[in-house]
């Protein structure tokens, strides 16, 4: 079976598994992990390799930009202490624990052991947030888990890059030290520049498939430039996405947002499928090349790494909760979380795409590369299957069960209705009265036109009202009055409403 045939088969399987995931509490990354195992067991499946830099740019950059685009800056400002505790401190501690395991039990060189720790240290919040959609947890907890997945990649990949540099240079020299010290500020600065440049080009490509393609091209360019300059590619892409999403100089209209969200959602899903396919192929090749004794030793070592990763995160999550309750200054303005919530955060340590892509990036001559790659896949598989399948039952066991956010949604809709009525309050005339009446009807419906001859005036008033609603919705999100899921759902409703109100010529995407 060729690679293309294997890819088509796995994509078809992924579609089937996604339908199962939608109807159960099993997150789809868990399904993909199982599919990767199936691929690893198929005899005759092709062995495909990717250059390390290509693998990281292909798999990590789009996923990061997609996640960072939707994450509010206000959440980072409000939750920066717990974010640092998980995205920096937890990654450093996990890396140290795994590095010690690699050095002590497998005899890995220090740099190689640190590389292994950096590969398996960053959790992927995609699987966790998939489960958390069906379990009502405090919004701050969900935001911390989501923000952690953006920032912990930067910490882990900086450690990974440092370990590779030390391994290749035989130590830390002045050049390596200089590159590491400039990686963070340089990556942020380059991300701001790429975001600014993207905002200048977007008006010329907007409203076409070329505009969607440009979004991917700009993402890859940002990542490649950062890597070539020795800067943090993760922070570059995250900063670029947040600049474009939050800068008033880069307006994004409803039509492009609807089209772009659909394209990026499919692209990220396909990248996950391909990553697990490639990892399954690599694992099959590694296992086939190991003798029985060597494979047994590798399995026992991988088991130790899995236990170390899970136990370290759980211990730090519970320990940090105790610290912030003892020393309130450590949490700042963030609300204290319960012991049960800290246990859930500790159990939301599922590894995924970033761990797989980083394992791909190991040079072919890296010390004990096969053992490290096999351990990384074992961590991804174990955490996605064991933690992914038990997260929802654990939430229910701890009494954090699912909740009903319909009242929050209705409250937000009432606020949007008030904003719309206030926006058209000063307008006079028969058309203004009709528009106000329509919004009053919509406002009343929360609790329980093109045929118009003056449609253009009516449309302008409605678009003005929708603009006011958008501003109010952003403030509700930034003030933490609504969660990300409610924000995205209401934003989509406003997008479709704007498309319905706007002229027919603006409702289609031109090809080219």
């Amino acid at each position: 079976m060729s690679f293309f045939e294997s890819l088509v088969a796995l994509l078809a399987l992924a579609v089937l598994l996604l339908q199962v995931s939608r109807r159960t509490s099993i997150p789809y990354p868990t399904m993909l992990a199982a599919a990767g195992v199936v691929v690893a067991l198929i005899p005759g499946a092709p062995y495909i390799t990717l250059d390390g830099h290509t693998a990281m740019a292909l798999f990590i950059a789009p996923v990061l930009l997609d996640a960072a685009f939707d994450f509010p800056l206000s959440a980072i400002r409000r939750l920066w202490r717990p974010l640092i505790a998980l995205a920096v401190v937890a990654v450093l501690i996990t890396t140290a624990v795994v590095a010690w395991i690699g050095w002590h039990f497998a005899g890995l060189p220090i740099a190689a052991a640190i590389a292994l720790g950096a590969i398996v240290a960053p959790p992927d919040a995609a699987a966790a947030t998939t489960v958390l959609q069906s379990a009502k947890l405090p919004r701050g907890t969900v935001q911390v888990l989501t923000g952690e997945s953006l920032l912990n990649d930067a910490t882990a990949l900086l450690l990974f890059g440092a370990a590779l540099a030390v391994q290749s240079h035989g130590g830390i020299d002045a050049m390596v030290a200089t590159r590491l010290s400039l990686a963070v500020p340089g990556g942020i600065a380059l991300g701001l520049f790429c975001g600014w440049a993207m905002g200048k080009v977007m008006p010329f490509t907007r409203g076409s498939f070329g505009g969607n393609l440009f979004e991917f091209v700009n993402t890859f360019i940002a990542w490649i430039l950062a890597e070539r300059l020795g800067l943090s590619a993760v922070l570059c892409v995250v900063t670029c996405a947040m600049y474009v999403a939050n800068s008033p100089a880069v307006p994004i209209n409803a039509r492009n947002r609807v089209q772009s969200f659909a394209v990026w959602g499919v692209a990220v899903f396909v990248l996950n499928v391909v990553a697990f396919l490639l990892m399954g192929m690599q694992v099959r090749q590694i296992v086939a090349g190991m003798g029985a004794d060597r494979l047994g030793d590798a399995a026992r070592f991988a088991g130790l790494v899995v236990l170390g990763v899970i136990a370290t995160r759980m211990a730090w999550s519970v320990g940090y909760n105790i610290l912030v309750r003892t020393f309130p200054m450590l949490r700042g303005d963030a609300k204290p979380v319960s012991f049960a919530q800290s246990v859930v955060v500790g159990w939301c340590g599922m590894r995924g795409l970033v761990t797989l892509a980083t394992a791909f990036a190991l040079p072919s001559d890296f010390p004990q590369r096969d053992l490290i790659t096999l351990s990384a896949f074992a961590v991804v598989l174990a955490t996605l299957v064991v933690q992914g399948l038990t997260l929802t039952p654990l939430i229910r066991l701890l009494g954090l069960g699912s909740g009903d956010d319909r009242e929050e949604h209705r409250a937000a809709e009432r606020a949007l209705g008030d904003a719309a009525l206030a926006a058209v309050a000063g307008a006079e005339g028969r058309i203004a009265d009709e528009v106000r009446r329509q919004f009053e009807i919509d406002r009343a419906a929360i609790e329980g036109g093109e045929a118009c001859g003056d449609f253009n005036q009516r449309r302008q008033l409605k678009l003005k009202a929708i603009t006011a609603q958008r501003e109010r919705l952003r403030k509700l999100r930034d003030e933490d009055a609504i969660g990300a899921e409610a924000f995205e759902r209401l934003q989509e409703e406003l997008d479709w409403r704007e498309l319905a109100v706007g002229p027919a010529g603006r409702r289609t995407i031109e090809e080219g």
Side-chain angles (χ1 to χ4, degrees):
M1 183 181 290
S2 67
F3 172 73
F4 178 72
E5 292 169 340
S6 300
L7 177 60
V8 172
L10 190 59
L11 286 174
L13 178 61
V15 173
L16 175 62
L17 294 177
L18 184 58
Q19 306 315 307
V20 177
S21 177
R22 291 173 59 191
R23 292 162 174 79
T24 65
S25 61
I26 304 175
Y28 83 82
T30 300
M31 296 286 198
L32 293 182
V37 174
V38 172
V39 171
L41 297 176
I42 296 177
Y47 177 62
I48 306 295
T49 59
L50 284 179
D51 173 72
H53 295 289
T54 302
M56 296 183 73
L58 176 63
F59 293 120
I60 298 180
V63 174
L64 282 176
L65 187 131
D66 181 58
F69 193 89
D70 299 326
F71 194 75
L73 286 174
S74 59
I76 294 180
R77 291 191 293 266
R78 186 174 61 256
L79 302 171
W80 66 269
R81 289 177 177 87
L83 284 175
I84 289 178
L86 288 175
V88 179
V89 180
V91 170
L92 293 175
I93 295 175
T94 303
T95 301
V97 170
V98 174
W100 178 83
I101 293 174
W103 170 79
H104 183 75
F105 291 97
L108 293 176
I110 294 298
I114 293 175
L116 171 60
I119 289 172
V120 300
D124 183 355
T129 52
T130 300
V131 176
L132 294 178
Q133 289 177 0
S134 61
K136 186 65 174 177
L137 289 179
R139 190 176 307 117
T141 301
V142 178
Q143 287 180 333
V144 166
L145 288 171
T146 305
E148 176 197 6
S149 68
L150 296 176
L151 304 178
N152 62 12
D153 298 338
T155 306
L157 291 181
L158 284 174
L159 289 172
F160 179 75
L164 293 186
V166 170
Q167 182 64 34
S168 61
H169 288 77
I172 299 180
D173 53 22
M175 182 182 68
V176 173
T178 301
R179 287 183 60 183
L180 293 177
S181 63
L182 294 176
V184 171
I188 294 174
L190 181 60
L192 290 173
F193 172 77
C194 290
W196 173 83
M198 186 175 182
K200 294 298 182 182
V201 177
M202 282 179 66
F204 300 99
T205 62
R206 183 172 293 136
S208 68
F209 291 141
N212 296 129
L213 180 60
F214 171 69
E215 295 169 2
F216 286 93
V217 171
N218 183 79
T219 302
F220 292 131
I221 289 176
W223 183 279
I224 293 171
L225 280 177
E227 280 212 326
R228 295 293 185 185
L229 296 174
L231 307 176
S232 172
V234 172
L235 290 178
C236 176
V237 171
V238 169
T239 303
C240 175
M242 289 188 169
Y243 177 88
V244 173
N246 295 278
S247 174
V250 191
I252 302 175
N253 60 36
R255 177 188 54 181
N256 287 276
R257 182 161 38 246
V258 170
Q259 174 74 6
S260 181
F261 277 26
V263 170
W264 278 86
V266 173
V268 169
F269 176 72
V270 172
L271 287 174
N272 273 276
V273 173
V274 175
F276 280 98
L277 167 66
L278 293 177
M279 179 56 78
M281 293 176 178
Q282 287 213 5
V283 168
R284 185 181 62 83
Q285 189 77 6
I286 292 171
V287 172
M290 287 185 175
D293 293 340
R294 172 64 173 163
L295 186 58
D297 292 339
R300 284 188 288 272
F301 174 74
L304 288 174
V305 172
V306 170
L307 291 176
V309 165
I310 295 176
T312 301
R313 179 178 176 85
M314 182 63 72
W316 173 244
S317 179
V318 175
Y320 177 73
N321 185 38
I322 296 174
L323 284 175
V324 297
R325 288 184 174 277
T326 305
F327 306 101
M329 68 177 63
L330 294 178
R331 70 168 185 267
D333 297 331
K335 296 180 180 179
V337 300
S338 65
F339 175 79
Q341 292 170 20
S342 67
V343 171
V344 170
V345 170
W347 200 244
C348 287
M350 289 163 277
R351 272 60 177 177
L353 188 59
V354 173
T355 294
L356 295 180
T358 312
F360 290 148
L362 284 172
S364 58
D365 59 348
F366 198 77
Q368 300 200 50
R369 183 185 188 276
D370 288 353
L371 179 63
I372 293 175
T373 302
L374 189 62
S375 299
F377 184 75
V379 169
V380 172
L381 182 63
T383 55
L384 283 179
V385 173
V386 176
Q387 293 179 302
L389 294 178
T390 59
L391 183 57
T392 297
L394 176 64
I395 291 173
R396 293 171 181 166
L397 179 65
L398 294 174
L400 298 175
S402 59
D404 188 358
D405 62 350
R406 285 178 295 182
E407 182 53 40
E408 178 186 279
H409 186 80
R410 281 195 295 267
E413 285 184 324
R414 285 193 292 267
L416 299 187
D418 293 340
L421 288 170
V424 299
E428 298 180 354
R430 178 177 61 85
I431 302 303
D433 292 338
E434 291 179 0
V435 171
R436 277 192 293 270
R437 177 57 181 162
Q438 185 61 54
F439 279 118
E440 288 171 355
I441 293 173
D442 293 341
R443 178 67 168 77
I446 295 172
E447 305 297 338
E450 298 183 9
C452 178
D454 297 319
F455 173 71
N456 288 333
Q457 181 180 355
R458 178 184 179 185
R459 180 181 63 202
Q460 290 172 359
L461 288 172
K462 283 194 172 183
L463 291 176
K464 180 180 179 181
I466 292 172
T467 300
Q469 288 178 303
R470 290 193 188 282
E471 294 299 323
R472 180 57 176 156
L473 181 60
R474 292 192 187 97
K475 289 182 180 179
L476 289 172
R477 181 194 63 179
D478 293 340
E479 294 168 359
D480 202 34
I482 61 172
E485 185 177 357
F487 172 82
E488 292 175 8
R489 186 164 59 245
L490 290 169
Q491 180 178 250
E492 183 180 15
E493 291 176 8
L494 291 177
D495 287 341
W496 287 114
R497 192 176 301 168
E498 181 179 333
L499 290 175
V501 173
R506 295 180 56 194
R507 300 176 193 168
T508 57
I509 296 291
E510 299 174 1
E511 186 174 358

